[in-house]
Amino acid sequence: MVNFDFHAPTHVIFGKDTEKLVGKETAKYGKKALVHFGGGSVKRSGLLDRVIASLQEAGVEVVTLGGVQPNPRLSLVREGIALCKKEGVEVVLAVGGGSTIDSSKAIAVGVKYDGDVWDFHGGDKNGNKPTVTDRLPLGVVLTIPAAGSEMSNSCVITNEDGMLKRGSSGNGNRPDFAIMNPVLTYTLPAYQTACGATDILAHMMERYFTPEKHVDLTDRLLEAGMQTLIKNAPIALAHPEDYGSRAEIMWVSSLAHNDMLSCGRVSDFSSHQIEHELSARYDVAHGAGLAVIFPAWMKYVYKKDVMRFAQFAVRVWGCSMDFENPEFTALEGIGRMEKFFQSIGMPIRLPELGIDDKYLREMADKCKKSNGDGTQGKFTALNSDDIYEIYKLAL
Protein backbone atom coordinates (compact mmCIF):
# COMPACT_ATOMS: atom_id res chain seq x y z
CA MET A 1 0.00 0.00 0.00
CA VAL A 2 1.40 3.37 -1.02
CA ASN A 3 1.29 6.52 1.11
CA PHE A 4 -1.78 8.68 0.62
CA ASP A 5 -3.27 12.03 1.58
CA PHE A 6 -7.07 11.87 1.49
CA HIS A 7 -9.18 15.01 1.74
CA ALA A 8 -12.84 15.08 0.65
CA PRO A 9 -14.39 18.26 2.09
CA THR A 10 -17.65 18.39 0.14
CA HIS A 11 -20.73 18.72 2.35
CA VAL A 12 -23.26 16.20 1.01
CA ILE A 13 -26.98 16.77 1.54
CA PHE A 14 -28.66 13.59 0.32
CA GLY A 15 -32.29 12.51 -0.01
CA LYS A 16 -35.82 13.43 -1.02
CA ASP A 17 -36.69 17.12 -1.32
CA THR A 18 -33.16 18.23 -0.45
CA GLU A 19 -33.12 20.69 -3.37
CA LYS A 20 -35.43 22.83 -1.23
CA LEU A 21 -32.40 23.58 0.95
CA VAL A 22 -30.30 25.04 -1.87
CA GLY A 23 -31.06 28.68 -1.03
CA LYS A 24 -30.17 28.32 2.63
CA GLU A 25 -26.97 26.43 1.79
CA THR A 26 -25.84 28.77 -0.99
CA ALA A 27 -26.41 31.85 1.17
CA LYS A 28 -23.63 30.63 3.47
CA TYR A 29 -21.14 31.30 0.67
CA GLY A 30 -22.39 34.47 -1.01
CA LYS A 31 -25.30 36.75 -1.80
CA LYS A 32 -25.03 36.69 -5.60
CA ALA A 33 -24.96 33.36 -7.43
CA LEU A 34 -24.33 32.24 -10.97
CA VAL A 35 -26.77 29.41 -11.67
CA HIS A 36 -25.16 27.34 -14.41
CA PHE A 37 -27.07 24.63 -16.29
CA GLY A 38 -27.37 22.78 -19.56
CA GLY A 39 -30.37 22.45 -21.82
CA GLY A 40 -34.11 22.23 -21.44
CA SER A 41 -34.52 19.33 -19.02
CA VAL A 42 -33.99 21.37 -15.85
CA LYS A 43 -36.44 23.91 -17.23
CA ARG A 44 -39.08 21.40 -18.36
CA SER A 45 -38.99 19.59 -15.02
CA GLY A 46 -39.44 22.82 -13.11
CA LEU A 47 -36.23 22.21 -11.16
CA LEU A 48 -34.56 25.40 -12.36
CA ASP A 49 -37.53 27.51 -11.25
CA ARG A 50 -37.56 25.79 -7.85
CA VAL A 51 -33.85 26.36 -7.38
CA ILE A 52 -34.08 30.03 -8.31
CA ALA A 53 -37.08 30.52 -6.02
CA SER A 54 -35.20 28.91 -3.12
CA LEU A 55 -32.20 31.16 -3.74
CA GLN A 56 -34.30 34.28 -3.88
CA GLU A 57 -36.19 33.33 -0.72
CA ALA A 58 -32.80 33.07 1.01
CA GLY A 59 -31.85 36.55 -0.18
CA VAL A 60 -29.45 35.36 -2.89
CA GLU A 61 -29.46 37.37 -6.12
CA VAL A 62 -29.40 35.18 -9.23
CA VAL A 63 -27.51 35.41 -12.53
CA THR A 64 -28.14 32.55 -14.98
CA LEU A 65 -26.07 30.95 -17.72
CA GLY A 66 -27.34 27.91 -19.62
CA GLY A 67 -26.09 26.08 -22.68
CA VAL A 68 -23.70 23.50 -21.24
CA GLN A 69 -23.18 20.63 -23.68
CA PRO A 70 -21.87 17.12 -23.09
CA ASN A 71 -18.08 17.38 -23.25
CA PRO A 72 -18.33 20.99 -21.90
CA ARG A 73 -16.78 23.68 -24.03
CA LEU A 74 -14.05 26.13 -23.14
CA SER A 75 -15.84 28.97 -24.95
CA LEU A 76 -18.82 28.77 -22.56
CA VAL A 77 -16.46 28.62 -19.59
CA ARG A 78 -14.82 31.83 -20.75
CA GLU A 79 -18.25 33.39 -21.22
CA GLY A 80 -19.17 32.39 -17.67
CA ILE A 81 -15.97 33.85 -16.26
CA ALA A 82 -16.61 37.18 -17.98
CA LEU A 83 -20.22 37.19 -16.79
CA CYS A 84 -19.22 36.52 -13.18
CA LYS A 85 -16.67 39.32 -13.22
CA LYS A 86 -19.12 41.75 -14.79
CA GLU A 87 -21.96 40.92 -12.38
CA GLY A 88 -19.88 40.57 -9.22
CA VAL A 89 -20.91 36.97 -8.66
CA GLU A 90 -19.85 35.57 -5.29
CA VAL A 91 -20.76 31.87 -5.62
CA VAL A 92 -21.30 29.44 -8.52
CA LEU A 93 -24.12 26.88 -8.42
CA ALA A 94 -24.20 23.98 -10.90
CA VAL A 95 -27.61 22.48 -11.61
CA GLY A 96 -27.08 19.33 -13.66
CA GLY A 97 -24.68 16.47 -14.21
CA GLY A 98 -20.94 16.09 -14.73
CA SER A 99 -20.64 18.39 -17.73
CA THR A 100 -22.43 21.25 -15.96
CA ILE A 101 -20.43 20.68 -12.78
CA ASP A 102 -17.11 20.64 -14.64
CA SER A 103 -18.03 23.80 -16.55
CA SER A 104 -18.95 25.41 -13.22
CA LYS A 105 -15.69 24.30 -11.64
CA ALA A 106 -13.70 25.89 -14.43
CA ILE A 107 -15.69 29.12 -14.18
CA ALA A 108 -15.21 29.29 -10.41
CA VAL A 109 -11.47 28.81 -10.85
CA GLY A 110 -11.15 31.16 -13.81
CA VAL A 111 -12.78 34.11 -12.06
CA LYS A 112 -9.94 34.13 -9.52
CA TYR A 113 -7.12 33.49 -11.99
CA ASP A 114 -5.20 36.23 -13.80
CA GLY A 115 -4.32 34.07 -16.80
CA ASP A 116 -6.34 31.91 -19.18
CA VAL A 117 -8.34 29.16 -17.45
CA TRP A 118 -7.17 26.68 -20.11
CA ASP A 119 -3.75 26.78 -18.41
CA PHE A 120 -5.19 24.43 -15.77
CA HIS A 121 -6.13 21.90 -18.46
CA GLY A 122 -3.71 22.23 -21.36
CA GLY A 123 -0.64 23.30 -19.41
CA ASP A 124 2.52 24.63 -21.00
CA LYS A 125 4.55 22.92 -23.72
CA ASN A 126 6.01 20.59 -21.09
CA GLY A 127 2.60 19.69 -19.72
CA ASN A 128 3.07 21.68 -16.51
CA LYS A 129 -0.13 23.12 -15.05
CA PRO A 130 -0.79 25.66 -12.32
CA THR A 131 -2.38 24.48 -9.07
CA VAL A 132 -5.81 25.74 -8.08
CA THR A 133 -5.14 27.94 -5.06
CA ASP A 134 -8.26 30.11 -5.14
CA ARG A 135 -11.73 30.04 -6.66
CA LEU A 136 -15.26 31.21 -6.05
CA PRO A 137 -17.31 29.01 -3.70
CA LEU A 138 -19.02 26.22 -5.61
CA GLY A 139 -22.21 24.25 -5.01
CA VAL A 140 -24.03 21.52 -6.91
CA VAL A 141 -27.60 20.32 -7.37
CA LEU A 142 -26.98 16.93 -8.96
CA THR A 143 -29.36 15.60 -11.63
CA ILE A 144 -27.25 12.93 -13.36
CA PRO A 145 -25.20 10.38 -11.39
CA ALA A 146 -22.26 9.46 -13.59
CA ALA A 147 -19.09 11.51 -13.52
CA GLY A 148 -18.87 11.80 -9.74
CA SER A 149 -17.84 15.41 -10.26
CA GLU A 150 -20.03 16.47 -7.33
CA MET A 151 -17.29 15.27 -4.95
CA SER A 152 -14.26 14.73 -7.18
CA ASN A 153 -11.05 16.70 -7.52
CA SER A 154 -11.20 16.58 -11.33
CA CYS A 155 -12.56 18.85 -14.03
CA VAL A 156 -12.59 18.03 -17.75
CA ILE A 157 -13.09 20.67 -20.45
CA THR A 158 -12.99 20.52 -24.26
CA ASN A 159 -11.12 23.22 -26.17
CA GLU A 160 -12.81 23.68 -29.55
CA ASP A 161 -9.48 24.87 -30.97
CA GLY A 162 -8.12 21.45 -31.90
CA MET A 163 -10.95 19.62 -30.09
CA LEU A 164 -8.69 18.85 -27.17
CA LYS A 165 -10.41 17.28 -24.16
CA ARG A 166 -8.20 17.71 -21.13
CA GLY A 167 -8.53 17.44 -17.38
CA SER A 168 -7.45 19.40 -14.36
CA SER A 169 -7.08 17.78 -10.94
CA GLY A 170 -6.52 18.97 -7.41
CA ASN A 171 -8.46 19.44 -4.21
CA GLY A 172 -9.33 23.00 -5.23
CA ASN A 173 -11.78 21.45 -7.72
CA ARG A 174 -13.90 19.77 -5.05
CA PRO A 175 -17.30 21.50 -4.59
CA ASP A 176 -18.12 23.02 -1.22
CA PHE A 177 -21.51 21.33 -1.10
CA ALA A 178 -23.57 18.91 -3.15
CA ILE A 179 -27.34 18.48 -2.93
CA MET A 180 -28.32 15.00 -4.11
CA ASN A 181 -31.95 13.95 -4.49
CA PRO A 182 -32.36 10.61 -6.33
CA VAL A 183 -35.91 11.58 -7.30
CA LEU A 184 -34.43 14.16 -9.69
CA THR A 185 -33.03 11.27 -11.77
CA TYR A 186 -36.41 9.60 -12.40
CA THR A 187 -36.91 11.36 -15.74
CA LEU A 188 -33.47 10.57 -17.16
CA PRO A 189 -33.66 8.83 -20.55
CA ALA A 190 -32.65 5.18 -20.38
CA TYR A 191 -29.59 5.78 -22.56
CA GLN A 192 -28.36 8.52 -20.25
CA THR A 193 -28.91 6.32 -17.21
CA ALA A 194 -26.91 3.53 -18.86
CA CYS A 195 -24.11 5.89 -19.92
CA GLY A 196 -23.92 7.12 -16.35
CA ALA A 197 -23.77 3.60 -14.96
CA THR A 198 -20.92 2.78 -17.35
CA ASP A 199 -18.94 5.84 -16.29
CA ILE A 200 -19.41 4.94 -12.62
CA LEU A 201 -18.25 1.37 -13.23
CA ALA A 202 -15.24 2.64 -15.18
CA HIS A 203 -14.18 4.91 -12.29
CA MET A 204 -14.08 1.90 -9.99
CA MET A 205 -12.33 -0.39 -12.48
CA GLU A 206 -9.65 2.23 -13.13
CA ARG A 207 -8.83 2.09 -9.46
CA TYR A 208 -9.19 -1.68 -9.23
CA PHE A 209 -6.58 -2.51 -11.87
CA THR A 210 -3.52 -1.43 -9.96
CA PRO A 211 0.08 -2.62 -9.88
CA GLU A 212 0.12 -2.05 -6.11
CA LYS A 213 -0.05 -5.08 -3.82
CA HIS A 214 -1.57 -5.34 -0.33
CA VAL A 215 -4.67 -3.29 -1.04
CA ASP A 216 -7.17 -5.83 0.28
CA LEU A 217 -9.51 -3.36 1.99
CA THR A 218 -9.97 -1.10 -1.03
CA ASP A 219 -10.19 -4.17 -3.29
CA ARG A 220 -13.20 -5.30 -1.26
CA LEU A 221 -14.74 -1.82 -1.17
CA LEU A 222 -14.38 -1.50 -4.94
CA GLU A 223 -15.85 -4.95 -5.51
CA ALA A 224 -18.83 -4.02 -3.33
CA GLY A 225 -19.29 -0.77 -5.25
CA MET A 226 -19.12 -2.51 -8.61
CA GLN A 227 -21.58 -5.20 -7.54
CA THR A 228 -23.95 -2.51 -6.24
CA LEU A 229 -23.88 -0.75 -9.59
CA ILE A 230 -24.26 -3.98 -11.58
CA LYS A 231 -27.28 -4.99 -9.48
CA ASN A 232 -29.09 -1.66 -9.46
CA ALA A 233 -28.57 -0.26 -12.98
CA PRO A 234 -30.92 -2.82 -14.61
CA ILE A 235 -33.53 -2.19 -11.91
CA ALA A 236 -33.43 1.57 -12.53
CA LEU A 237 -33.75 1.00 -16.27
CA ALA A 238 -36.74 -1.32 -15.86
CA HIS A 239 -38.37 0.79 -13.13
CA PRO A 240 -37.23 4.42 -13.55
CA GLU A 241 -39.03 5.59 -10.41
CA ASP A 242 -37.59 2.96 -8.09
CA TYR A 243 -36.14 5.18 -5.38
CA GLY A 244 -33.94 2.50 -3.84
CA SER A 245 -32.02 1.69 -7.00
CA ARG A 246 -31.72 5.35 -7.97
CA ALA A 247 -30.36 6.17 -4.52
CA GLU A 248 -27.81 3.36 -4.64
CA ILE A 249 -26.58 4.50 -8.06
CA MET A 250 -26.35 8.15 -7.02
CA TRP A 251 -24.33 7.41 -3.90
CA VAL A 252 -21.98 4.89 -5.49
CA SER A 253 -21.36 7.45 -8.25
CA SER A 254 -19.97 9.87 -5.67
CA LEU A 255 -17.96 7.28 -3.76
CA ALA A 256 -16.50 5.91 -7.01
CA HIS A 257 -14.73 9.18 -7.77
CA ASN A 258 -14.18 11.10 -4.52
CA ASP A 259 -10.85 9.24 -4.07
CA MET A 260 -11.76 7.31 -0.92
CA LEU A 261 -11.45 4.13 -2.97
CA SER A 262 -8.07 5.29 -4.30
CA CYS A 263 -6.40 5.37 -0.87
CA GLY A 264 -3.17 3.38 -0.87
CA ARG A 265 -3.55 2.42 -4.52
CA VAL A 266 -1.99 3.42 -7.81
CA SER A 267 -4.86 3.98 -10.26
CA ASP A 268 -4.82 3.71 -14.03
CA PHE A 269 -6.96 6.13 -16.02
CA SER A 270 -5.70 5.14 -19.46
CA SER A 271 -9.16 4.13 -20.63
CA HIS A 272 -10.56 7.54 -19.73
CA GLN A 273 -7.78 9.30 -21.64
CA ILE A 274 -8.21 7.01 -24.65
CA GLU A 275 -11.97 7.62 -24.62
CA HIS A 276 -11.49 11.39 -24.30
CA GLU A 277 -10.09 11.38 -27.83
CA LEU A 278 -13.26 9.64 -29.07
CA SER A 279 -15.64 12.10 -27.43
CA ALA A 280 -13.51 15.06 -28.49
CA ARG A 281 -13.33 13.92 -32.13
CA TYR A 282 -16.84 12.47 -32.50
CA ASP A 283 -18.74 14.08 -29.60
CA VAL A 284 -20.02 10.68 -28.46
CA ALA A 285 -21.45 10.21 -24.97
CA HIS A 286 -18.56 9.61 -22.60
CA GLY A 287 -20.15 6.53 -21.00
CA ALA A 288 -20.88 4.96 -24.37
CA GLY A 289 -17.28 5.51 -25.42
CA LEU A 290 -16.04 3.88 -22.22
CA ALA A 291 -18.23 0.82 -22.84
CA VAL A 292 -16.28 0.34 -26.07
CA ILE A 293 -12.79 1.28 -24.91
CA PHE A 294 -12.59 -0.42 -21.52
CA PRO A 295 -13.03 -4.01 -22.77
CA ALA A 296 -10.50 -3.33 -25.53
CA TRP A 297 -8.00 -1.99 -22.98
CA MET A 298 -8.57 -5.06 -20.82
CA LYS A 299 -7.97 -7.46 -23.71
CA TYR A 300 -4.73 -5.66 -24.51
CA VAL A 301 -3.25 -5.51 -20.99
CA TYR A 302 -4.68 -8.43 -18.99
CA LYS A 303 -1.56 -10.61 -19.36
CA LYS A 304 0.35 -8.04 -17.30
CA ASP A 305 -1.40 -9.48 -14.22
CA VAL A 306 -3.68 -12.37 -15.15
CA MET A 307 -4.52 -13.16 -11.53
CA ARG A 308 -5.89 -9.67 -10.86
CA PHE A 309 -8.17 -10.00 -13.87
CA ALA A 310 -9.18 -13.49 -12.72
CA GLN A 311 -9.94 -12.09 -9.25
CA PHE A 312 -12.11 -9.41 -10.90
CA ALA A 313 -13.94 -12.11 -12.86
CA VAL A 314 -14.62 -14.24 -9.79
CA ARG A 315 -15.43 -11.58 -7.19
CA VAL A 316 -17.31 -9.09 -9.36
CA TRP A 317 -18.90 -11.20 -12.11
CA GLY A 318 -19.33 -14.52 -10.29
CA CYS A 319 -17.12 -16.56 -12.61
CA SER A 320 -15.72 -19.89 -11.43
CA MET A 321 -11.97 -19.88 -10.92
CA ASP A 322 -10.05 -22.14 -13.26
CA PHE A 323 -6.83 -22.63 -11.30
CA GLU A 324 -5.21 -24.60 -14.10
CA ASN A 325 -6.02 -21.89 -16.64
CA PRO A 326 -6.57 -18.52 -14.90
CA GLU A 327 -6.37 -16.80 -18.29
CA PHE A 328 -9.65 -18.48 -19.22
CA THR A 329 -11.26 -17.03 -16.09
CA ALA A 330 -9.85 -13.57 -16.80
CA LEU A 331 -11.25 -13.56 -20.34
CA GLU A 332 -14.60 -14.89 -19.14
CA GLY A 333 -14.86 -11.91 -16.79
CA ILE A 334 -14.21 -9.49 -19.64
CA GLY A 335 -16.85 -11.27 -21.69
CA ARG A 336 -19.43 -11.03 -18.91
CA MET A 337 -18.71 -7.33 -18.58
CA GLU A 338 -19.34 -6.84 -22.30
CA LYS A 339 -22.64 -8.73 -22.00
CA PHE A 340 -23.61 -6.46 -19.09
CA PHE A 341 -22.93 -3.37 -21.20
CA GLN A 342 -25.04 -4.81 -24.00
CA SER A 343 -27.85 -5.68 -21.57
CA ILE A 344 -28.17 -2.03 -20.50
CA GLY A 345 -28.11 -0.77 -24.09
CA MET A 346 -24.47 0.23 -24.40
CA PRO A 347 -22.29 -0.34 -27.49
CA ILE A 348 -19.18 -2.47 -27.21
CA ARG A 349 -17.61 -1.79 -30.62
CA LEU A 350 -16.69 1.44 -32.41
CA PRO A 351 -18.89 0.82 -35.50
CA GLU A 352 -21.92 0.84 -33.17
CA LEU A 353 -21.02 4.49 -32.54
CA GLY A 354 -20.62 5.14 -36.26
CA ILE A 355 -16.82 5.22 -35.96
CA ASP A 356 -14.46 3.55 -38.42
CA ASP A 357 -10.67 3.40 -38.57
CA LYS A 358 -10.16 6.78 -40.27
CA TYR A 359 -8.82 8.72 -37.27
CA LEU A 360 -7.53 5.93 -35.05
CA ARG A 361 -3.86 6.76 -35.59
CA GLU A 362 -4.45 10.48 -35.16
CA MET A 363 -6.33 9.90 -31.90
CA ALA A 364 -3.62 7.56 -30.61
CA ASP A 365 -0.95 10.18 -31.28
CA LYS A 366 -3.03 12.97 -29.69
CA CYS A 367 -3.97 10.95 -26.60
CA LYS A 368 -2.58 12.54 -23.48
CA LYS A 369 0.64 10.90 -22.28
CA SER A 370 0.92 11.71 -18.60
CA ASN A 371 4.07 9.73 -17.76
CA GLY A 372 7.39 11.51 -17.97
CA ASP A 373 8.66 9.14 -20.65
CA GLY A 374 5.84 9.99 -23.07
CA THR A 375 3.63 7.03 -22.17
CA GLN A 376 0.21 6.74 -20.56
CA GLY A 377 -0.95 4.48 -17.73
CA LYS A 378 0.22 3.00 -14.44
CA PHE A 379 -1.03 -0.60 -14.63
CA THR A 380 1.15 -0.88 -17.70
CA ALA A 381 2.66 1.98 -19.68
CA LEU A 382 1.17 2.56 -23.13
CA ASN A 383 2.76 4.44 -26.01
CA SER A 384 0.99 5.71 -29.12
CA ASP A 385 1.37 2.36 -30.89
CA ASP A 386 -0.19 0.54 -27.93
CA ILE A 387 -3.12 2.95 -27.88
CA TYR A 388 -3.56 2.49 -31.63
CA GLU A 389 -3.78 -1.28 -31.10
CA ILE A 390 -6.42 -0.77 -28.39
CA TYR A 391 -8.48 1.33 -30.79
CA LYS A 392 -8.18 -1.44 -33.37
CA LEU A 393 -9.34 -4.03 -30.81
CA ALA A 394 -12.41 -1.84 -30.30
CA LEU A 395 -13.46 -2.08 -33.96
Side-chain angles (χ1 to χ4, degrees), residues 149-166:
S149 192
E150 64 276 2
M151 290 187 75
S152 80
N153 72 348
S154 62
C155 172
V156 181
I157 299 295
T158 298
N159 187 341
E160 300 97 312
D161 183 8
M163 294 308 293
L164 298 172
K165 187 174 179 179
R166 296 290 184 264

Side-chain angles (χ1 to χ4, degrees), residues 259-280:
D259 286 328
M260 183 182 75
L261 304 182
S262 303
C263 292
R265 308 177 74 89
V266 175
S267 301
D268 188 305
F269 286 90
S270 298
S271 294
H272 253 74
Q273 297 300 332
I274 295 169
E275 194 291 320
H276 280 173
E277 298 306 321
L278 282 185
S279 48

Side-chain angles (χ1 to χ4, degrees), residues 6-173:
F6 175 60
H7 181 64
T10 306
H11 176 199
V12 175
I13 305 167
F14 190 102
K16 295 178 180 179
D17 297 323
T18 48
E19 71 274 16
K20 295 178 181 178
L21 303 174
V22 67
K24 178 182 177 181
E25 194 64 26
T26 304
K28 298 176 183 178
Y29 298 92
K31 294 300 182 181
K32 193 168 190 177
L34 175 73
V35 178
H36 197 32
F37 56 95
S41 60
V42 294
K43 291 182 178 179
R44 290 191 302 272
S45 68
L47 175 61
L48 184 62
D49 288 339
R50 298 198 304 275
V51 166
I52 291 174
S54 179
L55 291 168
Q56 292 173 338
E57 288 170 10
V60 178
E61 190 176 347
V62 175
V63 178
T64 61
L65 178 63
V68 180
Q69 303 176 52
N71 307 311
R73 305 302 200 264
L74 178 61
S75 58
L76 187 64
V77 169
R78 288 172 172 158
E79 182 182 340
I81 292 168
L83 181 61
C84 287
K85 290 180 176 179
K86 176 184 175 182
E87 297 289 341
V89 165
E90 298 176 349
V91 54
V92 178
L93 180 68
V95 182
S99 293
T100 297
I101 299 168
D102 280 6
S103 188
S104 298
K105 287 180 177 182
I107 290 170
V109 169
V111 171
K112 293 288 190 174
Y113 181 59
D114 290 334
D116 183 2
V117 70
W118 183 248
D119 294 346
F120 293 94
H121 299 265
D124 61 22
K125 63 181 180 180
N126 297 316
N128 298 314
K129 303 176 184 179
T131 300
V132 175
T133 57
D134 194 15
R135 61 158 170 78
L136 290 181
L138 174 66
V140 173
V141 178
L142 183 66
T143 64
I144 305 173
S149 192
E150 64 276 2
M151 290 187 75
S152 80
N153 72 348
S154 62
C155 172
V156 181
I157 299 295
T158 298
N159 187 341
E160 300 97 312
D161 183 8
M163 294 308 293
L164 298 172
K165 187 174 179 179
R166 296 290 184 264
S168 161
S169 62
N171 281 328
N173 282 325

Side-chain angles (χ1 to χ4, degrees), residues 200-213 215 218-223 226 230 256 261-262 264-272 290 293-317 326 329-335 337 341 376-382:
I200 296 164
L201 188 60
H203 286 154
M204 290 184 280
M205 292 191 296
E206 282 159 331
R207 290 166 168 86
Y208 193 78
F209 292 104
T210 178
E212 186 62 26
K213 307 301 180 184
V215 285
T218 43
D219 269 0
R220 297 295 187 175
L221 293 173
L222 284 161
E223 289 156 6
M226 288 186 279
I230 292 163
L261 304 182
S262 303
R265 308 177 74 89
V266 175
S267 301
D268 188 305
F269 286 90
S270 298
S271 294
H272 253 74
L290 285 169
I293 293 299
F294 222 112
W297 176 84
M298 288 177 155
K299 292 170 187 175
Y300 192 76
V301 307
Y302 77 91
K303 291 183 180 179
K304 179 76 175 180
D305 188 348
V306 171
M307 290 307 296
R308 175 148 288 272
F309 276 86
Q311 176 179 293
F312 171 73
V314 171
R315 293 186 182 178
V316 177
W317 297 104
T329 304
L331 291 172
E332 184 181 2
I334 297 170
M337 184 184 70
F341 287 150
Q376 168 64 28
K378 301 299 183 182
F379 183 77
T380 187
L382 305 172

Side-chain angles (χ1 to χ4, degrees), residues 277 281-282 356-367 369 383-389 391-392:
E277 298 306 321
R281 161 63 69 177
Y282 294 99
D356 56 23
D357 62 355
K358 183 176 181 181
Y359 294 109
L360 299 189
R361 171 51 70 179
E362 177 185 318
M363 291 190 296
D365 292 340
K366 281 177 64 178
C367 185
K369 314 297 193 301
N383 58 32
S384 293
D385 289 339
D386 295 317
I387 294 168
Y388 178 60
E389 292 301 320
Y391 281 132
K392 289 201 298 184

Side-chain angles (χ1 to χ4, degrees), residues 144-148 150 185 188 190-205 220-238 242 244-257 261 287 290-291 294 312 315-317 336-346:
I144 305 173
E150 64 276 2
T185 70
L188 282 177
Y191 188 74
Q192 206 164 16
T193 296
C195 284
T198 304
D199 198 5
I200 296 164
L201 188 60
H203 286 154
M204 290 184 280
M205 292 191 296
R220 297 295 187 175
L221 293 173
L222 284 161
E223 289 156 6
M226 288 186 279
Q227 288 182 321
T228 296
L229 187 282
I230 292 163
K231 173 184 176 181
N232 285 282
I235 297 172
L237 288 167
D242 183 273
S245 63
R246 291 290 190 179
E248 297 282 4
I249 293 169
M250 182 170 271
W251 189 224
V252 78
S253 169
S254 297
L255 296 183
H257 207 39
L261 304 182
L290 285 169
F294 222 112
F312 171 73
R315 293 186 182 178
V316 177
W317 297 104
R336 289 196 186 187
M337 184 184 70
E338 287 185 311
K339 289 179 181 177
F340 170 76
F341 287 150
Q342 288 178 311
S343 75
I344 63 172
M346 286 288 93

